[in-house]
Every structure is written in structure tokens, then in C-alpha cells.
Amino acid sequence: MPRSTEQSDPATDSAAETSLDPADWDEFRAVAHGMLDDMIAHIETIRQRPVWQRPSDETRERFTRPLPSEPRELGDVLDDVRTHIMPFATGNLHPSFMGWVHGAGTPIGMVAEIVTGGLNMNCGGRDHAGLVVEQQIVRWMSEALGYPSGASGLFLTGSSMANFVALTIAKTEALGQAVRETGLRDCDRQLVAYTSTEAHSCIAQAMQLSGIGSANLRTIAVDDAGRMLPGALRAAIEQDRANGRLPFLVVGTAGTVNTGAIDPLADIAEVASREKLWFHVDGAIGALAVLSDSLRGLFKGIEKSASVALDFHKWGQVPYDAGFLLVRDGDAHKRAFAQPAAYLQRANRGLAAGETWPCDLGPDLSRGFRALKTWMTIEALGTDRISDSIAHTCMLARHLAEALHRHPAFELKAPVALNIVCFGIRGANSEFVRNLVLDLQESGLAAPSWTTINGELVVRCAIVNHRTTVADIDGFMGTLNRYLADGGFPPGSSIGRR
């Protein structure tokens, strides 16, 4: 029946009639606790399920229903979650997921998300605990990365956005704050930036979004290990200056997406300092390895950067999403984004207290409490345990590489710098490699991916999961052996057969 258009009397409205809270809190508590128990069991028993499986036709059909106007029982809604969502997730919780650089999360992070959802804080500004916690992470990351006490930081969706924000700061510093109003039309020279041929595509996208254009991003050649060549960088800058252009930014990569290679950050920092360029590090994949005593030396020079992007939701194992940007010069950070507005006025007391709010440091005014799950993860586990997990995944990558090297059918296609292993199959063409990866994914036994190195399609294994063990890597090798021996998975190989 159509909803009545009769106006309600505010004097007679009760909270029970207008509130969206449960009518029966005890019933809600029981249902919610049941879902929490199911999620804990889901994580605890993750090895017993396929790494990944395609959403069923029934599930796809379930999510074609029209917009609902009437309520359903929460228990029924959660049954849909159990039936149509939980079995068909990405798979990155599973120890045999190695296709992309996804963290596996932790039960601690899941509990943090419950708290975050319950508090429902907007961390764009105001004076409340959410911003205090975020500043704690800024101080911790400044300590870990060798930044000064005046550094600033900001949680974002991920390093793609963090890299874009860093580029925006660099552009503003190069052209002055007036560029925020006038745009690039008054710039008398063309801005140019530099990164390696192995850099993530989000750097080119950031150039596009900034209005500078990706045609003005110079991709610098790399050595045989996939690391930027500082000599080629210097030559490119010299050529651009000679041609009347304005170099303003160089982006080094601490863990390339293809192979995990680490650019020579100290050498790049020296070039950037001499040429007066903003030196940004895309550390989405590798920067958190500075927490490990055994790996920190690989990132020498990162402490000399002007800014670093990183993802806690990768090696930090924080639930998605938890990207982060750290900026050495807090004033430069604020100059690029602070926006006066009547509704954002500050006070020396009350809820509007505080000189700098997160909305002064990035494009978001509405922001979730990403800092809590990061803080809880670090507080509950400690950096020693987290860094041991990071170092362990690197050991597993070396273990896999050694096993592949010993096998006559496989050949490594890139050095193993951190936790990414790329290999080919001798005598196989691209179609075979692609089908191998897809067959493995659809079998539910393992989930690698592929990439292209030197024009050749290769299998790529990114070992990020803290649950992965040597036995899992050996099991993956056994699966590869069976696949090659049988010419694919034989009839009767069912999804999730282990």
C-alpha cells in the first residue's frame, strides 16, 4: 500500500517511531554476536575453503533486486551475507593467495572496524580523539622513516591517492599558492616530473588528474634489477632544463609493483637536492619494511625524501582501506590544501578547537576513522611481531625462488628483491601462462597472477599474507608440478580440492 502522506505531529512522535535503532536491543545483540562468531570462525578456518571461487549465478541474481522500501529482519539479511558474500570474497585472507599485493588483515583489525563503525566519527576535523589517534600514527611513522618532528601525515584510501596528494603539494611548492586559483595558465614553463619505467601507473594518472598531463612525466630507464638509473635521471633533467622546461618532482619507488625492486633512493635524493626537486617515494609495497632490522638497509635514503606514500593494508595487515602519506614539511603540506570557509572556522576551545585539521591536508572533508584500526594493530601486535611477519614473507619468496630455480621446467624472470617472485615456464607461450594462472585461480588451490617483463608474459607471486608458511609454498610447487605433469587439472578436480 502507498505510504500515507499525512503529516505526523512532532509533539506526538516518539523515539521508537523515528529512530533507526533496534526495537529490541537484546535481540539485536544476540544476532550481532552470532555474526561476529561466524566471522571469527571464517578467519580461523580459512584454509578449509577455496582460495577464491567465482560468485554463483544465484548470487549474481540475488543482487539484481529493486530498491527495497520495506524492512527485513536483520537475521535474514545476515543470512544473505553468509550465503552470497562470504564464500565469494577476493581470497586475500587465504595463505595461498599471492596474485596481488593485498594484506590479509587480522582479527584485531576486524574488532577495530566494529568500534569504528559504532563510533561513526568524521575525522575531517573538529577536536576529538580520532584526530589525536591519527597524529599518533604520524609521529610513529616519522620515527620509523627518519622524518623530523614537524612532519605531517594523512590517512587516505590508498597510495594511489597519497601519490596524487604528494604531487599536488610538489606542484604548489614549485609554482606558489597562486596556482590553486589561477591553475597552470600563468606558468611560463612546462612542468615535468620523473619516475622509473617500473613505477606504478598511478603516478602517470596523478599527472593527468593534476592537469599537468602524463606526457610530461619522464620515465627513466632501469637496470637489470628494475631499479632507476640515477645517471639517466640526471641526463633527463639536464635535457629538460636546456629545452626551457621546469622540472619539479622525482618519484622513487620502494618496491615496484612488478618485481618489488627498490630504486637507489639515496642517489635519487642527492640528485633531487642538487636540482631542487621535490623527492617523493612511492612506498606502497615496500616502505613498511623499514620496521625490520634485517630489511631497513635496503631503503637507505628514504629518510631524505620530501614525502612518502605507504599502505598499512598491505604489509601492515590492517583491513582495507588504510593508505597513508607522510610529508616532511608540514607547512608545505598545509599550503597546498587548506581552504578557508565559514563552516570550518576554528576556535581556541570547544569542538572547533585546533589549528590544523585533516581537511587542511587533503581533498577529503568527510573521512572515516582509519587511524583506529592501524593504531590497534600496532598497539596489540607491536612492531617486532609485524616486522618479523614482513621478513618472513621475504624468506618465503626466496624459498619459492630457490625451488623454481631447481626445477627444470621453470625459470626466474627477475631478481627477488623483497617478496615478489616472477617466473616463466620453459617452452610455454603466453596463452599457456595465462591459462595456467586462470586454471589455478578457478581450482581454488592457489591464486597467483601474471605480468609482463621484457615483453614476456610471466607468472607473478606476491607473498604478503602473514598466514603463509613454507608448507604452503611447497604445496604450491606441488600443484604446479601436477598441473604440468597432467597437462592441466584432470577431470574431477573440484574447486577447493586440497
Side-chain angles (χ1 to χ4, degrees), residues 76-256:
D76 293 340
V77 175
L78 292 179
D79 283 343
D80 274 353
V81 171
R82 295 180 180 97
T83 302
H84 295 298
I85 295 177
M86 290 171 60
F88 306 115
T90 312
N92 49 304
L93 274 64
H94 198 287
S96 293
F97 179 96
M98 14 178 162
W100 294 268
V101 185
H102 293 354
T106 66
I108 292 166
M110 181 181 68
V111 173
E113 290 281 59
I114 294 174
V115 178
T116 297
L119 293 175
N120 192 32
M121 287 195 286
N122 181 353
C123 290
R126 318 302 173 198
D127 187 18
H128 57 80
L131 274 58
V132 177
V133 175
E134 189 158 343
Q135 283 303 306
Q136 172 70 94
I137 305 299
V138 173
R139 285 188 287 272
W140 280 346
M141 287 301 99
S142 295
E143 179 182 346
L145 291 163
Y147 268 40
S149 58
S152 67
L154 187 72
F155 274 93
L156 296 141
T157 54
S159 283
S160 291
M161 182 57 74
N163 288 326
F164 171 66
V165 169
L167 186 147
T168 303
I169 300 168
K171 179 183 73 173
T172 305
E173 289 301 288
L175 299 179
Q177 277 185 289
V179 71
R180 295 179 54 183
E181 297 179 3
T182 63
L184 298 174
R185 66 184 181 186
D186 292 335
C187 182
D188 59 354
R189 289 183 288 166
Q190 176 62 59
L191 290 173
V192 288
Y194 308 84
T195 193
S196 87
T197 56
E198 290 293 299
H200 195 281
S201 61
C202 70
I203 307 300
Q205 184 184 64
M207 290 286 283
Q208 295 168 353
L209 294 174
S210 70
I212 300 171
S214 53
N216 299 301
L217 176 65
R218 307 288 185 256
T219 52
I220 306 302
V222 298
D223 62 16
D224 291 341
R227 302 170 299 193
M228 184 193 296
L229 293 169
L233 172 64
R234 286 191 294 269
I237 295 171
E238 181 180 346
Q239 183 65 50
D240 278 322
R241 290 200 191 281
N243 290 334
R245 298 185 179 92
L246 178 60
F248 79 108
L249 167 72
V250 56
V251 180
T253 303
T256 60

Side-chain angles (χ1 to χ4, degrees), residues 2-22:
R3 186 179 297 274
S4 171
T5 58
E6 182 180 350
Q7 295 294 314
S8 61
D9 180 359
T12 61
D13 272 348
S14 68
E17 292 171 332
T18 61
S19 173
L20 300 179
D21 284 338

